Amino acid sequence: MRRILALPALCALLLALAGCGPKLPAVAVDGEPWSENWTMVGQKLGVEGPGEAFTLQDVKGSKNLYFTSWSAGEAQTHTDSEGEEVQVYDAQVVVLLSDQGSDEAAQASVEEWLSLAEDSYTLSTTAQETHNGQDFTALTYTFPSGSAYAQGASAFTVYDGCAVSVEVACQDSFTPSPSDILSNFLDHCHYAPLS
């Protein structure tokens, strides 16, 4: 009898917890009504996605670090420089958001990521760009010989204590260009109001 009485209480608890997920804002900072169709990256970034050619591939998150990726084309196996097999696509878009708790700490992470990019790729351009009201440092580059991808573009910003990195990697034959994909993607990112 005790089990039967406990069942309604357990159901009520589960229903209450189901409503305890992150509360979406009503409106993004850019004035757009917040859409449940956007992919959430952490609690502060809503992404429309990179376009029809891309499929949402991966959404991961922990307490302070969030990773989301989209891919275009069929997966192919590539052996990396360490001899491990990895899956690569015609193109891939990856978003990394690290909630650092302060703009200063987030900026330090962005500087570290920029330095890593400068050491890892052959840079073609570096520019300051604004997309949907948010300022970014944007890079275009080529990958080293033997890499899974040939060309890429990345953008880095700080928003409300978070370091944000968006990377586009493409095969040579893929169109549009990585910088065009990146610009379009950033134009369709939306930010929750400042906390």
Side-chain angles (χ1 to χ4, degrees):
M1 182 71 171
R2 209 178 256 182
R3 282 186 175 162
I4 294 172
L5 293 175
L7 187 58
L10 179 61
C11 289
L13 176 63
L14 290 174
L15 284 173
L17 289 175
C20 290
K23 185 173 188 235
L24 298 176
V27 178
V29 171
D30 58 19
E32 284 282 323
W34 201 272
S35 173
E36 291 182 4
N37 295 325
W38 297 342
T39 301
M40 289 296 297
V41 183
Q43 305 302 312
K44 299 177 184 175
L45 179 60
V47 178
E48 290 184 43
E52 288 182 13
F54 289 84
T55 302
L56 183 62
Q57 192 70 31
D58 209 356
V59 178
K60 294 180 182 174
S62 64
K63 184 177 178 184
N64 297 318
L65 187 63
Y66 304 90
F67 169 90
T68 305
S69 67
W70 293 260
S71 62
E74 296 296 320
Q76 298 176 18
T77 302
H78 172 81
T79 304
D80 67 15
S81 59
E82 296 173 2
E84 293 188 28
E85 290 187 349
V86 294
Q87 297 298 306
V88 298
Y89 301 87
D90 294 341
Q92 190 167 27
V93 177
V94 175
V95 179
L96 182 65
L97 183 144
S98 177
D99 192 339
Q100 299 288 318
S102 74
D103 285 354
E104 294 78 17
Q107 186 61 45
S109 288
V110 164
E111 295 300 329
E112 186 177 328
W113 293 345
L114 281 165
S115 178
L116 182 62
E118 290 169 0
D119 292 343
S120 301
Y121 312 126
T122 302
L123 297 185
S124 305
T125 63
T126 302
Q128 298 301 311
E129 300 179 1
T130 301
H131 296 275
N132 203 17
Q134 184 67 24
D135 295 331
F136 291 88
T137 300
L139 313 173
T140 61
Y141 45 84
T142 56
F143 286 86
S145 177
S147 296
Y149 293 101
Q151 53 184 330
S154 295
F156 305 90
T157 192
V158 170
Y159 181 77
D160 197 16
C162 296
V164 180
S165 165
V166 179
E167 179 177 280
V168 178
C170 299
Q171 305 296 341
D172 267 335
S173 59
F174 191 81
T175 56
S177 71
S179 58
D180 288 344
I181 296 167
L182 180 65
S183 291
N184 180 62
F185 184 87
L186 296 176
D187 287 340
H188 293 90
C189 287
H190 305 275
Y191 305 88
L194 295 171
S195 55

